[in-house]
Amino acid sequence: MATPPGASAFTGPAAAAGEEEGGCVKPFTPEKAKEIVMSLQQPAIFCNMVFDWPARHWTAKHLSEVLHGKQIRFRMGMKSTDTVPQFETTCSYVEATIEEFLAWNCDHSGISGPFRDYDHSKFWAYADYKYFVSLFEDKTDIFQDVIWSDFGFPGRNGRESTLWIGSLGAHTPCHLDSYGCNLVFQVQGRKRWHLFPPEDTPFLYPTRIPYEESSVFSKVSVVNPDLKRFPQFQKARRHVVTLSPGQVLFVPRHWWHYVECTDPVTVSINSWIELEEDHQARVEEAITRMLVCALKSAEDPHNTRAWLNPTEVEETSHEVNCRYLNRAISSFFDHSRTSKVVETQELKTNGEDMKKDELNVYHLMEVEQTGSQNLTLETVKQEVAGSFGPDLLPVLPSSEKPPSERGGIFENDDKDFVGKGGEHFGKLHCTKRQQRMSKSENATVGQIASNHAMAHSQTFISTDDVLDCLVNPQVTKIVAQLLIQGRSL
């Protein structure tokens, strides 16, 4: 059963065992939790891991008192469900206090203030991506209320976290994060997550317009898809889960996600965990930034708002982007030099017979080096599978139709789309990412071709059409590898 809307309590099948803080033992040690996070290749929900966190009391009302009078930015979107995603470039924005947000959210008639132009029945509001270091700059003691060290990351707290406050219907467009993996603590209200595995990327029609560093957006409105324009989307394997207060969702690297608030007020806290692969990913992002900014600025030098996400505040000149790319490559090699000795020792431990001159930069690109460490792939599979149970719930592929096909995205259901103890949990995604992606190479070509087939003119090729090919995630990955290889010879 899902926790009642707005509650901040313990959840999950074993929650009752953890309600007495004095005698409760968390189901996973920090070391075990980190092993799961660094090894698991499918989304999962941790239960009974945050019952003693002071941040579990961070309701919107509480935060309005802590941040009394402080204005924050709310993104305003329409509650209507369209076949076109509501990207941040199409939204309007309001500077307001949390008190003003709560007053508007109560749907008081004749409300004045910053939300006066937004009919509550037609609009949602979302204070998203609010970094603690900016939000609580004069209240740094509050960082200690978030204890990510319980998941095996010593010293990690609110300083490395972001806050999300939303009303019913507020959502983020479907996207994947270029860097790291994600831990999301649900504090108040519920959120429904639609997730898709990395190997389904071709079916999500990736685009870098609007441009935001580290975010690859999908052209598809996943809750109301236009299947005539995006027919390959039918092949995408949707995983749906409703995250309730007290639960922590683990989102593995490069999993696509669309997140919507399903209660009147929701509060979440997340932290992106750095991974070994991020060093190359920063090179890929620098290449993407250079290409997008160069082509889009040349197309219309005076209208960056049309293609640059409002979260991007840095200068977009070619000179700045060149420096950014060179710094990313330099950082990659700095990390390569410091990691090579450790890598050599690991290869010897694993019994791999490799000559010294074969230890080149490509070994840094192997995904499994990070998650597995000294464990074999089979050992990782067995240990992770053995961890599933009442305190670690796998997020499974869903047979549910998108909300638009079953009554609208604003319905409040109490379904929890996670496996229960003892159920068949499906196949673990523990194979190498290179192997996963190779299965969809043909689909990638078909996806790119399909993008253009539905253009408003069969002969007109726009700047965005070219960019969709040039900065396709698989293309930038190859370009980054070639650049790195050229500098390492």
Side-chain angles (χ1 to χ4, degrees):
M1 289 291 292
T3 302
S8 181
F10 315 105
T11 59
E19 291 185 2
E20 296 183 5
E21 295 183 24
C24 179
V25 176
K26 297 191 176 183
F28 302 108
T29 64
E31 295 76 17
K32 182 61 178 178
K34 183 176 183 179
E35 179 186 308
I36 292 170
V37 167
M38 301 305 285
S39 302
L40 190 61
Q41 296 297 313
Q42 74 178 95
I45 291 179
F46 286 91
C47 300
N48 303 314
M49 287 291 288
V50 296
F51 58 81
D52 59 346
W53 288 21
R56 73 190 188 278
H57 300 302
W58 283 19
T59 62
K61 177 64 175 174
H62 172 76
L63 290 168
S64 72
E65 297 167 357
V66 172
L67 296 170
H68 180 69
K70 186 180 181 71
Q71 287 198 329
I72 59 178
R73 197 183 203 194
F74 287 85
R75 178 162 58 95
M76 308 301 296
M78 297 291 294
K79 287 185 176 180
S80 59
T81 304
D82 198 357
T83 57
V84 178
Q86 284 194 63
F87 291 124
E88 292 163 63
T89 49
T90 64
C91 292
S92 53
Y93 293 83
V94 164
E95 299 287 336
T97 64
I98 300 179
E99 294 100 316
E100 291 169 326
F101 161 74
L102 290 174
W104 170 80
N105 201 44
C106 288
D107 200 13
H108 292 158
S109 59
I111 191 169
S112 59
F115 293 98
R116 60 184 175 275
D117 295 329
Y118 299 93
D119 185 338
H120 182 267
S121 65
K122 298 178 181 178
F123 287 89
W124 48 257
Y126 209 3
D128 49 2
Y129 297 100
K130 304 306 175 190
Y131 288 91
F132 278 39
V133 290
S134 300
L135 198 59
F136 302 108
E137 55 188 344
D138 56 345
K139 299 179 175 64
T140 56
D141 288 348
I142 207 169
F143 293 165
Q144 308 306 318
D145 287 7
V146 180
I147 314 171
W148 296 117
S149 56
D150 282 351
F151 288 84
F153 301 96
R156 195 176 195 92
N157 54 38
R159 185 179 299 276
E160 297 84 17
S161 303
T162 44
L163 182 70
W164 310 68
I165 305 172
S167 65
L168 178 65
H171 64 269
T172 51
C174 187
H175 68 284
L176 67 80
D177 299 316
S178 303
Y179 307 142
C181 59
N182 198 0
L183 288 172
V184 186
F185 168 34
Q186 191 64 26
V187 180
Q188 179 182 5
R190 294 169 297 171
K191 282 186 174 179
R192 183 181 291 117
W193 287 69
H194 301 249
L195 302 116
F196 303 86
E199 55 267 34
D200 285 1
T201 291
F203 312 140
L204 273 296
Y205 298 82
T207 182
R208 296 311 300 261
I209 304 297
Y211 174 76
E212 177 183 77
E213 183 184 355
S214 81
S215 294
V216 182
F217 291 103
S218 169
K219 292 181 179 181
V220 184
S221 174
V222 299
V223 294
N224 189 22
D226 182 346
L227 296 179
K228 289 185 178 179
R229 187 179 179 195
F230 306 115
Q232 295 289 320
F233 179 69
Q234 297 178 87
K235 300 178 182 178
R237 290 163 293 172
R238 186 191 303 263
H239 298 56
V240 182
V241 65
T242 299
L243 192 66
S244 298
Q247 295 179 330
V248 175
L249 176 65
F250 165 63
V251 182
R253 180 175 188 261
H254 284 185
W255 272 71
W256 293 84
H257 47 285
Y258 169 95
V259 190
E260 56 186 346
C261 303
T262 58
D263 278 324
V265 180
T266 66
V267 177
S268 308
I269 298 169
N270 88 293
S271 188
W272 286 282
I273 308 299
E274 300 83 3
L275 296 174
E276 180 75 17
E277 298 90 333
D278 292 349
H279 297 284
Q280 180 178 317
R282 288 191 176 88
V283 177
E284 297 171 20
E285 282 298 301
I287 294 166
T288 299
R289 183 183 184 88
M290 178 181 288
L291 290 170
V292 171
C293 292
L295 290 180
K296 295 300 289 184
S297 295
E299 181 182 56
D300 188 351
H302 305 297
N303 188 24
T304 59
R305 292 184 61 184
W307 57 269
L308 191 65
N309 230 34
T311 54
E312 289 295 311
V313 295
E314 295 184 12
E315 188 180 347
T316 59
S317 71
H318 189 66
E319 180 182 1
V320 168
N321 290 336
C322 283
R323 290 201 298 266
Y324 185 79
L325 175 58
N326 278 279
R327 283 199 303 269
I329 291 178
S330 295
S331 297
F332 179 92
F333 282 109
D334 288 343
H335 177 75
S336 172
R337 282 188 288 271
T338 58
S339 300
K340 195 161 288 188
V341 173
V342 176
E343 182 185 336
T344 304
Q345 292 172 345
E346 288 181 354
L347 290 173
K348 289 180 179 179
T349 302
N350 288 335
E352 294 187 38
D353 183 19
M354 300 187 71
K355 296 179 180 179
K356 200 170 187 180
D357 62 332
E358 291 177 327
L359 296 175
N360 57 39
V361 69
Y362 281 109
H363 297 137
L364 292 174
M365 300 174 191
E366 290 293 328
V367 174
E368 296 303 323
Q369 292 282 336
T370 303
S372 302
Q373 295 183 354
N374 293 331
L375 298 173
T376 64
L377 186 59
E378 283 305 313
T379 302
V380 172
K381 286 184 179 181
Q382 292 170 6
E383 292 201 0
V384 170
S387 300
F388 286 138
D391 298 303
L392 184 67
L393 310 175
V395 179
L396 304 175
S398 174
S399 59
E400 293 287 324
K401 294 181 180 180
S404 61
E405 298 178 28
R406 53 183 172 86
I409 67 171
F410 305 111
E411 62 178 307
N412 266 345
D413 62 30
D414 288 329
K415 282 190 176 181
D416 208 353
F417 300 97
V418 296
K420 305 299 180 183
E423 285 186 347
H424 174 64
F425 295 131
K427 183 182 290 186
L428 295 180
H429 302 287
C430 289
T431 57
K432 294 182 180 179
R433 183 167 178 266
Q434 288 91 334
Q435 293 173 339
R436 294 200 307 263
M437 295 306 293
S438 66
K439 296 178 181 178
S440 57
E441 285 176 352
N442 291 335
T444 301
V445 176
Q447 174 255 312
I448 294 174
S450 180
N451 283 354
H452 303 149
M454 296 304 297
H456 62 276
S457 169
Q458 295 296 322
T459 58
F460 177 75
I461 299 297
S462 69
T463 304
D464 290 1
D465 291 330
V466 175
L467 278 172
D468 284 339
C469 297
L470 289 177
V471 297
N472 182 284
Q474 289 181 294
V475 175
T476 54
K477 180 182 179 71
I478 294 170
V479 174
Q481 290 175 345
L482 289 172
L483 278 176
I484 292 166
Q485 181 188 25
R487 296 301 179 273
S488 64
L489 296 178

